[in-house]
Amino acid sequence: MNIILIGAPASGKGTQANLLAQKFDLLHISTGDMIRDIIRKDGQYSNELKNIIDSGELVPDNLIIDILKMYLNTVDSKKGILFDGFPRTVRQAEELEKIVDIDYVFEIEVSLETVIKRIEQRLICSGCGMSYNSSKHSGDICESCGGKIKKRTDDTQETVTVRYNNYCQSTYPVVKYFHDKSSYHQIDGEKSTDEVNDQICKIIGSK
Ligand code: AMP
């Protein structure tokens, strides 16, 4: 089973991806985590990637598609894959469909107000990428891996509008691309984490 999660920044994709990957034993692929990992390890293109990510812009299609393909070539797994944050353009969607069959596409829908509020409050573990809400969590140590919890360098007031606009302009067409396929389902992302997860699991369970 291969799944795509599409949603604006802070729509809850990462949180749902972690829950679904665990529940259905899927390989979780987050292109955002992949890029942050390359930057952390000072790998190839790290300066270029840091500048792009911190400005809130999208990584060019050719580069992100190459990064994903290189990663997939190194993975020796028979598991289904959960794509979190990929595809973000129609070109990426077309490329992905050449590599794998997609069973489910979940669009997690949230308003711009929710995006702004969640980004303001979002903290992330620099070790495992787990997301925290600053209004609900005190301390800076991750409960899951013991890593340091920080603000993401791209979670700023300046980049949130750029990222949301990029979502509307470049990624929303991906929603339209999948809209009429039987794999596509819209999910209400304004609800709590558990409720969003229930919506998705019910759809998977009903097939
Ligand atoms: P995320 O962690 O999914 O919010 O991604 C963080 C940033 O990584 C985005 O704002 C983009 O700059 C970059 N990024 C992640 N995935 C992609 C993608 N599929 N295409 C282009 N840029 C991406």
Side-chain angles (χ1 to χ4, degrees):
M1 173 168 73
N2 297 315
I3 300 178
I4 293 174
L5 295 183
I6 304 180
S11 57
K13 294 188 301 293
T15 304
Q16 292 303 324
N18 283 326
L19 294 171
L20 295 169
Q22 219 170 13
K23 184 171 169 94
F24 297 104
D25 193 26
L26 301 169
L27 177 67
H28 175 190
I29 294 188
S30 154
T31 40
D33 284 350
M34 235 175 235
I35 295 167
R36 284 183 286 277
D37 199 44
I38 294 172
I39 295 170
R40 217 176 8 248
K41 292 180 179 151
D42 210 9
Q44 202 182 8
Y45 305 118
S46 65
N47 287 339
E48 187 184 344
L49 290 170
K50 179 154 176 45
N51 289 338
I52 297 171
I53 212 173
D54 284 350
S55 68
E57 297 295 346
L58 290 182
V59 174
D61 279 342
N62 283 346
L63 182 53
I64 196 76
I65 290 166
D66 278 355
I67 291 173
L68 178 73
K69 282 185 176 167
M70 273 193 287
Y71 176 77
L72 287 174
N73 280 338
T74 65
V75 174
D76 181 22
S77 167
K78 300 269 181 291
K79 289 183 184 182
I81 304 178
L82 194 152
F83 293 94
D84 159 13
F86 191 100
R88 267 174 152 104
T89 65
V90 171
R91 159 97 200 282
Q92 293 178 20
E94 289 167 347
E95 287 296 323
L96 187 60
E97 283 191 312
K98 289 182 197 163
I99 311 172
V100 288
D101 291 328
I102 300 298
D103 300 289
Y104 295 98
V105 177
F106 295 110
E107 177 206 358
I108 306 181
E109 212 201 11
V110 284
S111 66
L112 174 59
E113 292 71 42
T114 301
V115 168
I116 292 172
K117 193 168 146 218
R118 287 191 189 165
I119 283 195
E120 245 172 44
Q121 298 179 338
R122 177 160 72 177
L123 296 172
I124 201 140
C125 170
S126 50
C128 67
M130 180 136 142
S131 223
Y132 289 90
N133 182 317
S134 61
S135 70
K136 294 182 191 151
H137 186 85
S138 57
D140 62 355
I141 300 299
C142 176
E143 286 161 5
S144 173
C145 77
K148 186 117 174 129
I149 298 172
K150 293 180 176 166
K151 189 116 196 103
R152 263 170 59 164
T153 55
D154 59 337
D155 274 353
T156 63
Q157 275 182 348
E158 294 77 46
T159 61
V160 64
T161 338
V162 179
R163 287 158 69 201
Y164 191 77
N165 286 342
N166 275 329
Y167 177 75
C168 297
Q169 277 168 22
S170 302
T171 309
Y172 196 69
V174 180
V175 172
K176 290 201 197 136
Y177 176 86
F178 285 113
H179 193 271
D180 293 334
K181 304 192 184 202
S182 60
S183 52
Y184 169 82
H185 301 273
Q186 192 179 59
I187 302 297
D188 180 358
E190 299 285 335
K191 301 265 195 276
S192 71
T193 299
D194 286 348
E195 286 169 311
V196 171
N197 194 248
D198 279 353
Q199 292 176 63
I200 297 175
C201 290
K202 270 190 191 137
I203 293 166
I204 295 175
S206 71
K207 280 217 175 164

